Amino acid sequence: SPPSRARTPRRPRKGTNPTMKDPVGVYCRVRPLCRGDQESCLEVVNHTTVQLHPPDGHRVVRNGEYRETQYSFKEVFGTLVAQKELFDVVAKPLVEDLIRGRNGLLFTYGVTGSGKTHTMTGSPGDGGLLPRCLAMIFNSIGPFQAKRFVFKLDEKNGVEVQSEVEALLERQRREALPIPKTPAGKRQLDPEFADMIDVQDQPRAEEVDEDNVYGVFVSYIEIYNNYIYDLLEEESAGTSKILREDQNHNMYVTGCTEVEVKSTEEAFEVFWKGQKKRRIANTQLNRESSRSHSVFIIKLAQAPLDADGDNVLQEKEQITLSQLSLVDLAGSERTNRTKAEGNRLREAGNINQSLMTLRTCIEVLRENQLYGTNKMVPYRDSKLTHLFKNYFDGEGKVRMIVCVNPKAEDYEESLQVLRFAEMTQEVEVARPMDRPLCGLTPGRRLRHQAFRPEEQSAAEQFFQSLPPLPSCELLDINDDQTLPKLIEALEQRHKMRQMLAEEFAKNVLAFKTMLQEFDSSVASKENYIQGKLAEKEKTITGQRTELERLEKKIKTLEYKIEILEKTATIYEEDKRNLQQELESKSQKLQRQASDKRRLEARLQGMVAETSLKWEKECSTPVAPLRPRRSRSAGGERWVDHRPASHVPTGTVLQPRVPRGALTVGAPSERALARCDRYLLTHQELASDGEIQTKLIKGDVFKTRGGGQAVQFTDIETLRQESPTGRKRRSSPPDPAPAGDGADSEWTDVETRCSVAVEMRAGSALGPGFQHHAQPKRRKP
């Protein structure tokens, strides 16, 4: 593959400040409907937002969808806005920048028939932006304009300054032409546009450099079918112009007619002359639809006066040339609505192509700025974008007025126009640098105008006060009157001169005296002021010393405060640590106290048990403690405690109870006193539905108070299971004796025993049971 060609480095642009950028200002103007019964698709929400909604027919095509979209701009002007209000907000700042030496671009954009030309040009009795811009320029610089041909534009988009003699010769040469121009003051205005330039408010710029002289030049071109034509040249020419770049990288049209104008009327007359030659056509959307993009360029040349304030400074470097471009774009449209054919169809295609190129350039600029890309902006794809590329590269402010017709038929076009206009606001343009100062003393013009008339008037008064000289003509040799009269007149003048000289000397002396007195008073005032200043200096010095002392004290206190804050932070941290430690130790103490209480309770139980044991053993002298006998001992007597609701087990293995056992349904103190062992038969229903029998055995002891106590020592469990998985139906219980229904219920051991049961600590079976053969009191 061939080696890639290196990109030519871009030449640096002068006069821009890349760090300061301004966004493109986009404004929206809504045109009123032609008829009151027309359907509208646009609504003004507030002063910055409009809402676009599809018409009824469009909703049917879109399957009934109703989608409203809102678009925001720098400012929105409704249908009742006046041309003056629009000019004050949008165009007036551009004219002020033009007078300050900065460039500006203002263009109207919208659908065909949306009011672009009316916004730019206006109507009789209500001038648009263009005549108001011209009126503001000439109202501001009118008394400071240079004479014709002092400024002379060259063919390379530059300007030169000529001397008064060169300008005079140029004016004489132009006046000698076959068709001399009528002076602006005596020109009769065309009634077609006379009302458009009658601006009542007379706008003026706030800051105008009065030490400069100004010259205004206008030109008018159109871009038709991507060709550039001069609307101010003669009919016979009609050739396309070429775009070129000057030494400052600004684009200009070569060979374009540029007319120097001295008044608003003269400038608008030049515009109206070119407006008549602009290409318009009758379409289905507009009877006078603009088929081309028109560009009206106002150039303002200014240069400073010399040090005396008389003539223009003859230095080309001090000349500033700024321009304001007012662009009326052709309307975007769809050919199926305009019913265009032939040349009209080709015109519409070229118009849409140039507007599409403008959109593409704006989109690429926006993408480069938002995402940091370096895509090439296709300015050269259209003459419109190529002409104004220096504005978007940082040669002035850019303002756009998007005009919208709210009628429902323009919904699709208005949607695209508003979307593009809202996106344009995201593009930022570098702010141009201010022009350098000339370095001369300001106020030169006013000083020159102030002193020159006074000198002339004083000289004229002096010569008028002198006696007139008689005729000096000698017609006869014997004339002896002319010379004596002349001598007498001269002597009178000499005397008057001496008197004036003496008076002048007196005035000079008086003036010197006044100056001396003034100097002395000034000196005394200076001394007084110096004394006051010295006192003030002392006061200031003392206050400064006190201030320094207070600042040092403040620093010391701040340092102490910082130390105290750090100490407080350390103490707070120690406090939190100690609180945590205290809480942990408190919890530990609580656990230890709880363990201690449990241990004390256990020890008390063991002590009570041991005491009871020894007391029992010590109560009988012969046998202080009955030894525990085995189950097979022959002398044991049993108490067989079987509740009345006992169910026979019906098993092969039956509990073995020694003979002579005392069978009871409820234990009593009498029965326990006659026996040594105790057997409790307890039955309950297991989880599988079978009966489970438990045999609880224990020893009977005598208590210290003369009663009996039962200590349970063993538990035997008998359980029945069915091999078939079915529950075995138990035999019906024995009938309970009459009047003993309360004893036949299945209750716990305590209820059936009718004696108190308590835990015995330290038993070999874990928590043992002690049964006191003392009947419980029943509740009444």
Side-chain angles (χ1 to χ4, degrees), residues 722-760:
S722 176
T724 60
R726 296 181 301 173
K727 297 181 180 179
R728 185 174 67 86
R729 187 171 183 179
S730 61
S731 59
D734 295 335
D740 199 14
D743 296 335
S744 65
E745 294 179 359
W746 287 12
T747 60
D748 55 2
V749 178
E750 179 183 358
T751 304
R752 288 194 297 272
C753 292
S754 300
V755 292
V757 178
E758 67 179 10
M759 181 78 70
R760 181 177 181 183

Side-chain angles (χ1 to χ4, degrees), residues 495-519:
K495 291 180 181 180
M496 188 174 293
R497 179 183 176 187
Q498 288 180 349
M499 292 172 60
L500 290 174
E502 292 175 358
E503 186 177 358
F504 180 73
K506 291 179 181 180
N507 291 334
V508 168
L509 183 60
F511 186 71
K512 285 182 179 181
T513 306
M514 291 174 60
L515 284 178
Q516 290 175 358
E517 293 176 356
F518 181 75
D519 288 340

Side-chain angles (χ1 to χ4, degrees), residues 186-206:
K186 301 179 180 179
R187 181 180 293 109
Q188 295 295 328
L189 297 179
D190 192 338
E192 290 184 357
F193 65 84
D195 295 338
M196 295 184 184
I197 59 176
D198 186 13
V199 181
Q200 301 294 332
D201 55 337
Q202 299 292 326
R204 295 176 183 272
E206 295 181 358

Side-chain angles (χ1 to χ4, degrees), residues 53 85 101 126 189 227 252 398 456 496 538 573 600 667:
H53 55 83
E85 181 180 355
D126 191 14
L189 297 179
Y227 292 101
Y252 69 99
V398 181
Q456 292 179 356
M496 188 174 293
K538 288 182 180 179
E573 186 67 24
E600 288 177 352

Side-chain angles (χ1 to χ4, degrees), residues 1 11 251 329 341 407 518 538 541 568 583 680 741 762 770 775:
S1 61
R11 290 174 291 180
M251 303 305 300
L329 296 177
E341 297 178 357
K407 65 179 182 179
F518 181 75
K538 288 182 180 179
T541 304
E583 290 176 358
L680 173 63
Q770 270 194 338

Side-chain angles (χ1 to χ4, degrees), residues 545-606:
T545 305
E546 181 68 16
L547 184 62
E548 291 176 355
R549 187 185 65 82
L550 293 176
E551 287 179 351
K552 290 180 180 179
K553 187 174 180 180
I554 289 172
K555 290 182 179 179
T556 305
L557 294 176
E558 288 178 350
Y559 179 70
K560 290 183 179 180
I561 290 172
E562 185 178 358
I563 293 176
L564 291 175
E565 288 178 349
K566 290 181 180 179
T567 307
T569 305
I570 295 173
Y571 285 165
E572 289 291 336
E573 186 67 24
D574 293 342
K575 180 181 177 182
R576 285 194 294 269
N577 295 334
L578 292 174
Q579 285 179 349
Q580 293 177 358
E581 186 177 356
L582 180 62
E583 290 176 358
S584 62
K585 288 186 177 181
S586 299
Q587 293 175 0
K588 186 176 180 181
L589 288 175
Q590 290 177 0
R591 288 195 299 270
Q592 290 178 356
S594 178
D595 294 342
K596 182 179 179 182
R597 287 193 296 271
R598 286 197 298 270
L599 184 59
E600 288 177 352
R602 185 173 180 182
L603 290 175
Q604 289 177 1
M606 293 177 66

Side-chain angles (χ1 to χ4, degrees), residues 150-388:
V150 171
F151 292 106
K152 182 179 181 181
L153 300 179
D154 55 18
E155 297 180 356
K156 297 180 181 180
N157 203 31
V159 62
E160 297 177 351
V161 60
Q162 299 186 125
S163 63
E164 291 288 344
V165 177
E166 293 174 339
L168 179 60
L169 294 176
E170 184 74 18
R171 287 195 296 271
Q172 293 177 353
R173 186 178 64 83
R174 294 294 181 95
E175 291 174 358
L177 293 178
I179 306 176
K181 293 185 178 181
T182 307
K186 301 179 180 179
R187 181 180 293 109
Q188 295 295 328
L189 297 179
D190 192 338
E192 290 184 357
F193 65 84
D195 295 338
M196 295 184 184
I197 59 176
D198 186 13
V199 181
Q200 301 294 332
D201 55 337
Q202 299 292 326
R204 295 176 183 272
E206 295 181 358
E207 297 180 4
V208 180
D209 192 351
E210 298 180 354
D211 292 326
N212 286 358
V213 290
Y214 301 87
V216 181
F217 300 85
V218 296
S219 58
Y220 197 18
I221 61 173
E222 71 170 353
I223 302 175
Y224 176 72
N225 286 340
N226 208 25
Y227 292 101
I228 300 176
Y229 297 98
D230 185 5
L231 295 176
L232 300 182
E233 67 180 357
E234 298 298 330
E235 294 286 346
S236 58
T239 57
S240 176
K241 303 298 180 181
I242 301 174
L243 281 177
R244 288 184 179 174
E245 189 176 26
D246 62 7
Q247 60 181 359
N248 295 324
H249 316 299
N250 296 326
M251 303 305 300
Y252 69 99
V253 181
T254 58
C256 179
T257 304
E258 294 176 314
V259 181
E260 184 177 8
V261 290
K262 292 297 180 183
S263 64
T264 306
E265 295 78 10
E266 186 179 354
F268 199 80
E269 183 179 2
V270 174
F271 164 76
W272 198 254
K273 175 184 175 183
Q275 186 72 2
K276 291 182 178 179
K277 296 173 59 178
R278 188 181 175 189
R279 289 169 174 81
I280 58 175
N282 186 5
T283 65
Q284 293 289 333
L285 299 180
N286 193 358
R287 289 192 305 173
E288 294 184 357
S289 176
S290 302
R291 314 309 299 164
S292 62
H293 309 297
S294 68
V295 183
F296 187 77
I297 302 174
I298 305 172
K299 288 185 179 181
L300 180 65
Q302 52 183 309
L305 292 171
D306 56 12
D308 296 331
D310 292 331
N311 302 315
V312 183
L313 190 65
Q314 299 292 317
E315 293 182 8
K316 190 173 182 180
E317 293 78 10
Q318 295 293 338
I319 304 174
T320 302
L321 183 64
S322 55
Q323 71 178 27
L324 174 63
S325 300
L326 304 175
V327 185
D328 182 12
L329 296 177
S332 61
E333 55 191 16
R334 289 189 295 174
T335 55
N336 58 352
R337 291 187 58 204
T338 59
K339 308 298 181 184
E341 297 178 357
N343 292 334
R344 296 291 173 264
L345 182 61
R346 183 167 60 89
E347 291 172 355
N350 288 324
I351 292 171
N352 293 333
Q353 180 63 34
S354 61
L355 294 177
M356 184 62 66
T357 304
L358 177 61
R359 292 185 182 184
T360 304
C361 293
I362 295 294
E363 290 174 357
V364 174
L365 279 171
R366 172 178 171 271
E367 183 178 354
N368 289 342
Q369 294 178 3
L370 291 180
Y371 305 108
T373 57
N374 194 19
K375 294 183 179 180
M376 185 182 68
V377 184
Y379 291 120
R380 294 179 178 270
D381 292 353
S382 172
K383 294 293 178 59
L384 176 66
T385 56
H386 195 196
L387 177 61
F388 298 119

